[in-house]
Amino acid sequence: MPLALLALAVGAFGIGTTEFVIMGLLPDIAAEYGVTIPTAGLLVTGYALGVVIGAPLLTVLGNKVSRKRMLMLLMGLFVLGNLLSAVAPNFGLMLTGRIVASLAHGSFFGIGSVVAAELVAPDKKAGAIATMFTGLTVANIVGVPLGTFIGQTVGWRITFAIVSALGVVGLLGIAKLVPAMPRPEGARLRGELSAFRNPQVLLAMAMTVLGFGGVFAAITYIAPMMTEVAGYSEGAVTWLLVLFGVGMFLGNLLGGRFADRALMPMLYAALGGLAIVLALFTVVAHHKILAAIAILLVGALGFATVPPLQKRVLDQAHGAPTLASAVNIGAFNLGNALAAWLGGLVIAAGLGYTAPNWVGAVLAAAALGLALWSAALERRTPAVEASTAGAPVPAAVHH
């Protein structure tokens, strides 16, 4: 494994910690600022929307900067945002800090995916992308539970201060281990934008929005769901998040392995399984053991979609992958924002803390439908091209 992949994974670990640790700290943050749980959920929605905005914006602004330097600048922005969250005296500034940190997220993973794919052989690209994302999944096994425990025992502000320190470590790792990789000669913004004329790129991004959104519909409100419905103590949320992280880690490895072999079948299995598990989660959330199993499966099936979806965008974007890759990371977080918002709506409507699971199941099922449609279009396109190209051949032969 190239050491550069390890450096990218370190940066991903810091970003993954700050993205997901908020789930276990929502009740504490809501209590300190005197806001409701659905209002505190805006910290998830705001972060996700910041990724959506920051992904294309910072990728375009960094169009003339080497990829290594851009990755370092992004980690610096990440550190700044988390420091602001750590000292925010009111909810508004806390939300601002979350958004500032999130602006780096999409471009980091988008540019990092391109760098990771370029470091290995063509048949190992999805595996390399999965290696980078391993930092994100390990964050959910180690960083998020530890951050949740610290936040609940010492104070959530300390958690965000530690996350800032993680960002500094990530920045230093990139500076030391990632090789100098200047932008390819001739790369232009117009060329990068051309990728979005491909319907398959847009369909892949729509699958990303809906599929991973299904995960966040449930996980955003996992703390109140497990304490109020399943009957777990607040301290147990830490270990439930460990389970979610283990599921993400396993799903990421499986997704990376099988996406290099059979990308679309991998997506069908992951999205279909996710829709089923989320629907069942509504029922089993009332049972401690079954709820824990469901959390593990949601993490595994949800993250099994990440390497294949990211690789599909890279494949379909052809010679202009950087912006498309970053925008697809934004698409993951657009799904997160949509799902967190919808989950808050159904809770506020009095449907209970398990209602977001139904929202997630519908989103995942819709993503599966798009995957099947995308594959059908792809099968028809070569046939149409072949028949068009072959039409004059018989006439020429008989002539």
Side-chain angles (χ1 to χ4, degrees):
M1 178 184 72
L3 286 178
L5 292 180
L6 176 60
L8 294 173
V10 170
F13 179 87
I15 292 176
T17 300
T18 202
E19 179 181 18
F20 290 99
V21 76
I22 196 73
M23 314 306 178
L25 299 178
L26 275 185
D28 300 273
I29 294 172
E32 176 159 342
Y33 287 126
V35 299
T36 65
I37 289 292
T39 298
L42 292 175
L43 296 173
V44 177
T45 303
Y47 184 95
L49 290 177
V51 177
V52 175
I53 296 168
L57 177 62
L58 292 181
T59 300
V60 169
L61 290 178
N63 200 39
K64 300 296 183 181
V65 180
S66 72
R67 287 169 177 163
K68 176 176 179 175
R69 179 173 296 180
M70 191 62 193
L71 288 171
M72 293 172 64
L73 291 172
L74 291 169
M75 287 307 297
L77 186 62
F78 169 81
V79 171
L80 177 63
N82 280 286
L83 282 176
L84 181 57
S85 291
V87 301
N90 55 59
F91 185 78
L93 282 178
M94 172 65 177
L95 181 58
T96 300
R98 291 285 293 169
I99 294 172
V100 169
S102 72
L103 292 174
H105 183 128
S107 288
F108 180 87
F109 281 109
I111 295 171
S113 292
V114 175
V115 170
E118 289 180 351
L119 290 170
V120 297
D123 62 340
K124 297 184 181 298
K125 289 183 182 295
I129 294 170
T131 298
M132 181 188 71
F133 275 95
T134 296
L136 182 62
T137 59
V138 171
N140 282 271
I141 300 174
V142 180
V144 172
L146 183 59
T148 302
F149 174 76
I150 291 172
Q152 292 175 345
T153 56
V154 182
W156 59 264
R157 295 181 186 277
I158 303 299
T159 296
F160 283 98
I162 293 173
V163 168
S164 297
L166 285 175
V168 173
V169 173
L171 192 158
L172 294 175
I174 291 167
K176 180 70 174 177
L177 299 176
V178 172
M181 298 180 69
R183 292 184 67 257
E185 290 296 328
R188 295 290 185 271
L189 177 59
R190 181 178 296 179
E192 294 283 348
L193 290 172
S194 68
F196 298 95
R197 293 200 295 264
N198 183 349
Q200 290 291 356
V201 171
L202 299 179
L203 279 172
M205 290 180 178
M207 284 182 250
T208 298
V209 171
L210 297 175
F212 208 67
V215 175
F216 258 64
I219 297 303
T220 296
Y221 302 99
I222 194 68
M225 189 191 310
M226 290 299 97
T227 56
E228 300 296 328
V229 179
Y232 280 104
S233 66
E234 185 181 74
V237 173
T238 297
W239 303 108
L240 292 171
L241 289 173
V242 170
L243 269 182
F244 178 66
V246 170
M248 290 175 66
F249 179 80
L250 296 175
N252 182 58
L253 291 182
L254 290 174
R257 177 182 294 254
F258 289 103
D260 279 322
R261 301 179 185 178
L263 192 149
M264 294 308 290
M266 181 68 230
L267 274 180
Y268 302 152
L271 291 171
L274 180 62
I276 293 170
V277 169
L278 284 169
L280 292 174
F281 198 9
T282 307
V283 178
V284 303
H286 297 270
H287 189 283
K288 285 187 175 181
I289 295 177
L290 294 180
I293 294 172
I295 290 171
L296 175 72
L297 291 176
V298 167
L301 292 167
F303 233 78
T305 68
V306 174
L309 283 171
Q310 193 70 357
K311 182 176 185 291
R312 184 159 180 83
V313 168
L314 290 175
D315 289 345
Q316 297 296 330
H318 303 301
T322 307
L323 183 58
S325 176
V327 171
N328 195 52
I329 298 298
F332 279 108
N333 286 270
L334 178 58
N336 299 350
L338 174 66
W341 176 66
L342 291 174
L345 282 183
V346 294
I347 291 174
L351 298 179
Y353 286 121
T354 62
N357 297 331
W358 279 117
V359 173
V362 171
L363 292 175
L368 176 59
L370 285 180
L372 293 169
W373 183 29
S374 176
L377 288 176
E378 197 167 37
R379 285 193 299 268
R380 284 202 296 268
T381 300
V384 171
E385 291 176 351
S387 63
T388 303
V393 174
V397 172
H398 284 86
H399 182 74

